[in-house]
Amino acid sequence: MIIGRRSTGVLCGLLATMAVWALPSSAAAEPAEPDTPQVPPKVELVLDVSGSMSKRDVDGGSRMAAAKRAFNDVIDAVPEGVHMGIRTLGANYKGDDKARGCVDSEQLYPVGEVDRREAKTAVATLAPTGWTPIGFALRGAAKDLGTGEGTRRIVLITDGEDSCGLPDPCDVARELAAAGTQLTVDTLGLAGDAKVREQLSCIAEATGGTYTAVQRTDELSDRLKQLVRRSVDTPVENPAPAEGADRCATAPELTAGVYTDRAEFGQHRWYRVELKPGEELRASVSVAADRAVDRDYSVLLRAVTERGRELVRGAEAGHGRTDVMSTGLRYPWTGDEERVVCLEASHSFSAPESVPTSPGMPVELTVDVVEAPSGAGDAAYFGLARGWVPLVLLTLTGLAAGALAGLLGRLRRPVRGAN
């Protein structure tokens, strides 16, 4: 049957476990290779230092004072091995020139091992000043963190929405997600304004991050420390990019693994998987709603032959707000020759005209090939059954059920004229 969001993690864990079981015994017997040096996780705190941060509505003091105290707490609690930096936005230019105010973002403390005294001294010099160029600052923070295999996290603390318009912060977040560089953006809002909440939620959702509204100093401090620690606890995953084709014949051939792609609204993406006799394909697809989408949506994953005959499908549908929609399928192959299975992934997400359609929605495809269960036959166990045989069986079952219901109804109906 169909899998939902909660089942996605279970399925991925099951696939990973089966992949380990499938390793040859000789591989298990080989001596372990020396551990490679672990890449340190990187975190950059991006602080809004615009004029509105002088407002006094946090524990009787200013928003800026609360942010400074929280930063000092975080600096004292940075886990060993984490490289952290600090970037500001709106900290320097006080004037009315929008062109200058919208590029007012600089790195206050470089990303690296933290010298607590130097970091605190740098934060102490800050005072509420100028504009709120969030989109520009996010691009700068991404450059500060660089590239590499370790986890990278941006934590944005602000009390207002972007005051510059371009680049749009949500578009920038989607760009960062589309780059596939393991970058997450978490947002913390110091104001409860609906527009601020909407924009910060959009930024976080686009990159798989979180949005949190905070109104007290201790809340801000606790949440910041949690997010910095999360950079250590989050395992590094390196899904491989796979650009699906518009038809099976030209689709990329995938082996067991996790893959990322992008799909526009209404676009169908094709991939190929080769099965040997006695192997079973297990696949799942997840589509992330990284922007404001319409109410109703669905995700479809089909396995078909090279000639287009459907073998099995998995589908999931919903309505209302969602972060991700997932589905999956299983297909065992017991023929005598190798078979190419074509996987078609599609979704029915749509959005208002004001919402950008590019880049496409994030797609994650998980593929595993395992030994088919004994006696499985050429049948599907996960998803919907294939071919005309299940259709005939369902039809006959329906007719039999209808006839039985009619017979019972006639037996229960009283005979006319009976006393």
Side-chain angles (χ1 to χ4, degrees):
M1 291 299 293
I2 297 166
I3 59 174
R5 289 179 290 174
R6 183 173 297 178
S7 302
T8 306
V10 177
L11 176 61
C12 291
L14 179 61
L15 294 178
T17 303
M18 290 180 172
V20 173
W21 288 347
L23 286 174
S25 58
S26 59
E30 292 179 0
E33 295 183 1
D35 293 335
T36 56
Q38 187 174 2
V39 179
K42 299 178 182 179
V43 183
E44 180 145 271
L45 308 181
V46 179
L47 178 61
D48 178 2
V49 196
S50 61
S52 59
M53 289 289 285
S54 62
K55 190 171 182 178
R56 303 179 65 85
D57 59 357
V58 181
D59 296 337
S62 69
R63 297 171 180 177
M64 190 73 246
K68 285 184 177 181
R69 288 197 296 272
F71 268 48
N72 286 337
D73 289 344
V74 172
I75 291 169
D76 284 334
V78 175
E80 184 178 355
V82 172
H83 286 188
M84 191 180 79
I86 302 173
R87 172 172 281 269
T88 62
L89 59 96
N92 299 309
Y93 180 67
K94 299 181 180 181
D96 297 328
D97 187 342
K98 184 176 181 179
R100 293 182 60 186
C102 289
V103 293
D104 181 12
S105 176
E106 68 175 6
Q107 191 175 41
L108 183 71
Y109 189 83
V111 177
E113 295 183 5
V114 178
D115 183 307
R116 289 173 169 77
R117 178 178 297 179
E118 288 184 4
K120 289 182 178 181
T121 300
V123 171
T125 63
L126 298 176
T129 303
W131 295 66
T132 315
I134 294 177
F136 182 81
L138 289 177
R139 283 180 175 169
K143 292 180 180 178
D144 295 341
L145 292 170
T147 58
E149 297 181 354
T151 60
R152 303 187 307 148
R153 185 177 296 272
I154 296 173
V155 183
L156 170 66
I157 305 95
T158 180
D159 69 339
E161 61 180 325
D162 185 280
S163 60
C164 296
L166 293 175
D168 180 87
C170 286
D171 289 344
V172 172
R174 295 185 189 111
E175 290 173 5
L176 299 179
T181 53
Q182 301 296 324
L183 175 63
T184 302
V185 182
D186 297 291
T187 57
L188 301 176
L190 297 175
D193 181 84
K195 290 185 177 180
V196 175
R197 181 170 61 252
E198 181 179 354
Q199 185 173 84
L200 296 184
S201 296
C202 175
I203 293 170
E205 290 174 0
T207 61
T210 59
Y211 161 72
T212 307
V214 291
Q215 297 179 332
R216 299 196 311 270
T217 304
D218 58 343
E219 289 179 339
L220 178 59
S221 177
D222 290 345
R223 186 58 177 159
L224 276 175
K225 286 187 283 188
Q226 288 175 8
L227 293 173
V228 172
R229 285 198 300 268
R230 185 174 295 176
S231 65
V232 180
D233 299 334
T234 303
V236 180
E237 298 179 355
N238 293 301
E243 186 174 349
D246 58 359
R247 55 197 178 97
C248 180
T250 58
E253 187 168 316
L254 306 181
T255 57
V258 181
Y259 302 89
T260 58
D261 200 356
R262 288 264 170 176
E264 303 281 353
F265 294 137
Q267 189 176 34
H268 295 240
R269 307 292 274 177
W270 288 88
Y271 315 88
R272 295 163 62 92
V273 179
E274 188 176 279
L275 294 181
K276 297 177 180 179
E279 290 184 334
E280 179 176 283
L281 169 64
R282 302 186 179 187
S284 66
V285 65
S286 300
V287 180
D290 66 340
R291 64 204 70 181
V293 296
D294 292 331
R295 179 178 176 82
D296 299 302
Y297 42 79
S298 65
V299 172
L300 174 67
L301 181 63
R302 294 199 313 143
V304 304
T305 66
E306 290 183 282
R307 294 185 177 182
R309 180 170 65 90
E310 183 172 296
L311 301 169
V312 60
R313 64 167 56 191
E316 177 69 292
H319 63 88
R321 186 185 182 282
T322 187
D323 296 321
V324 66
M325 180 63 71
S326 307
T327 190
L329 57 81
R330 289 170 57 181
Y331 173 71
W333 172 235
T334 56
D336 297 327
E337 299 178 350
E338 294 182 353
R339 159 169 277 188
V340 172
V341 176
C342 304
L343 289 176
E344 178 194 21
S346 60
H347 65 83
S348 67
F349 281 98
S350 61
E353 293 183 0
S354 59
V355 175
T357 60
S358 183
M361 303 275 278
V363 175
E364 183 171 282
L365 182 68
T366 301
V367 175
D368 198 14
V369 178
V370 300
E371 183 179 351
S374 59
D378 186 12
Y381 283 81
F382 198 67
L384 302 180
R386 67 180 184 87
W388 61 268
V389 174
L391 179 61
V392 172
L393 291 175
L394 289 173
T395 302
L396 293 176
T397 302
L399 291 174
L404 180 59
L407 178 60
L408 292 175
R410 299 186 72 175
L411 291 175
R412 291 177 181 176
R413 187 180 306 153
V415 179
R416 292 184 181 180
N419 292 328

